[in-house]
Amino acid sequence: MYGFFVFPGKNDSEKEVGLMHIPDGFLDVKTWASTGVASAAVLGWGLKKTRKMLTDKQVPLLGAVSAFIFAAQMVNFPIAGGTSGHLLGGVLAAVLFGPWAAMIIMSVILVLQCFIFLDGGITALGANILNMAVIAPLGGYYVYIFLKRVLKGRAGETAAVFIASLFSVVLAAAAASLELAVSGMAPLGITLTAMLIWHSLIGVGEGLITAAVVKYLERMGIGAGASADFGIAGGESVEK
Amino acid sequence: MKNKAVAVIVLALVVAALLSPWASSNPDGLEKTAEDLGFAEAAVEMLGAPIPDYVFPGIENERTAVAVAGITGTLLTFAVAVGIGKLVTGRNLNKQ
């Protein structure tokens, strides 16, 4: 760990990735400490759930999808107003492996981004995990499950993925706004407004990319867990 | 399942190597908000990192440096996720 001190800091020619990775200095102690404790607790619970549902045969594909989400997160796309966003991937992971395994996938990515790539603060890691590895995949997955029941057919499935992905980004941005406001960075109302404007646009990108990738993977024979409910409704999960 | 994993990892490497160097460098949603609301300067840096900002150190050409960083991160993510996945499912087998 101490070895990291010798590594270089931010480059002048910045390659921004971000999305909503909170850096060090934005959150006060009470906020980063409490989000840290909360995300550690939820992750422990997520690991337990994952242990019950994930099979060893799924592990290589889980690793590959994690790698894909990492790579896709590097590809910022421009949105309006000189701002950019990139895929978050929480709903993509949740649709393929269930929300509990998605928490683990997203946390692995966030931890590596923090310690290897200087993306997201070390003190903000708990908040970033809570927003992007817990709230986004879990919230998005519930919307996906609900919409899949309401909207029928293949078009319905695609619409469910699109809306759930958009929602997941907006939800995570709202959580980040709350943490920033509680830390006294800016009043909640204006922080929330600004964050939600940008992230609903980014969310449209999230929805389009996730829907396209889910379709593409389906054609490769990598199912969207359509028959599995990952224990959400208390039933049995993925085919073993 | 293994063949599908290989196909997805190839896809990930293509994205990392060929798309990430051309990514938009506009500020992201949070940065833009922080700039507009005047708290962007509050950001501090507590630790360095081996590959800061997805630019692999020591490579002149920035797009190449980003591509190499992307490939490194993609493989690293795969390795760590598989390691954790194995730990989790391994315990699963022991319990049954």
Side-chain angles (χ1 to χ4, degrees):
Chain A
M1 178 75 89
Y2 296 107
F4 283 116
F5 285 107
V6 304
F7 288 116
K10 258 192 192 311
N11 291 343
D12 287 335
S13 53
E14 278 178 49
K15 161 78 177 74
E16 297 295 350
V17 171
L19 181 67
M20 60 175 99
H21 291 59
I22 302 173
D24 286 314
F26 277 13
L27 301 180
D28 63 3
V29 177
K30 70 171 186 306
T31 308
W32 65 251
S34 55
T35 48
V37 171
S39 57
V42 179
L43 275 189
W45 170 64
L47 270 174
K48 257 189 197 163
K49 286 278 211 178
T50 305
R51 199 179 298 166
K52 285 194 191 132
M53 282 162 212
L54 193 72
T55 65
D56 51 349
K57 285 201 177 103
Q58 291 176 294
V59 170
L61 189 58
L62 179 136
V65 168
S66 308
F68 175 79
I69 293 174
F70 170 86
Q73 286 205 4
M74 285 184 69
V75 186
N76 284 55
F77 48 82
I79 56 167
T83 306
S84 75
H86 60 73
L87 182 77
L88 177 56
V91 169
L92 176 61
V95 164
L96 294 172
F97 296 103
W100 327 110
M103 287 184 192
I104 311 301
I105 292 172
M106 299 305 290
S107 298
V108 165
I109 293 169
L110 287 166
V111 167
L112 289 174
Q113 286 173 331
C114 171
F115 287 105
I116 309 291
F117 299 96
L118 209 64
D119 193 13
I122 167 91
T123 56
L125 186 58
N128 284 328
I129 286 179
L130 192 65
N131 302 341
M132 290 182 273
V134 175
I135 292 173
L138 201 58
Y141 191 75
Y142 276 106
V143 171
Y144 167 72
I145 287 294
F146 171 78
L147 288 177
K148 231 174 53 153
R149 281 178 195 156
V150 179
L151 309 166
K152 305 279 177 221
R154 292 185 67 77
E157 161 84 24
T158 304
V161 170
F162 174 84
I163 296 167
S165 304
L166 196 164
F167 176 78
S168 73
V169 172
V170 170
L171 199 61
S177 307
L178 188 63
E179 290 150 9
L180 291 167
V182 167
S183 299
M185 281 294 120
L188 180 61
I190 53 168
T191 312
L192 199 58
T193 309
M195 284 289 277
L196 292 194
I197 287 171
W198 298 122
H199 287 95
S200 18
L201 293 172
I202 295 170
V204 172
E206 178 86 15
L208 292 173
I209 295 171
T210 307
V213 172
V214 166
K215 281 249 161 215
Y216 183 79
L217 293 181
E218 244 169 35
R219 271 178 30 206
M220 283 168 62
I222 299 166
S227 56
D229 70 12
F230 300 107
I232 288 285
E236 273 309 299
S237 58
V238 233
E239 86 278 9
K240 294 248 171 185
Chain B
M1 201 60 111
K2 279 231 163 81
N3 289 344
K4 289 172 186 171
V6 171
V8 173
I9 197 96
V10 168
L11 188 67
L13 287 170
V14 167
V15 171
L18 301 182
L19 293 186
S20 75
W22 304 95
S24 165
S25 54
N26 288 343
D28 62 58
L30 174 59
E31 279 172 329
K32 182 75 177 165
T33 301
E35 282 167 18
D36 291 349
L37 303 187
F39 63 87
E41 327 77 62
V44 291
E45 212 175 88
M46 309 206 35
L47 294 177
I51 313 174
D53 301 305
Y54 306 87
V55 179
F56 204 92
I59 297 174
E60 276 293 297
N61 184 295
E62 185 163 334
R63 291 200 204 281
T64 311
V66 171
V68 173
I71 292 167
T72 309
T74 301
L75 295 175
L76 195 60
T77 305
F78 175 74
V80 174
V82 165
I84 289 179
K86 282 202 166 148
L87 272 178
V88 172
T89 54
R91 269 189 247 162
N92 187 25
L93 292 177
N94 290 341
K95 261 171 70 175
Q96 281 169 348

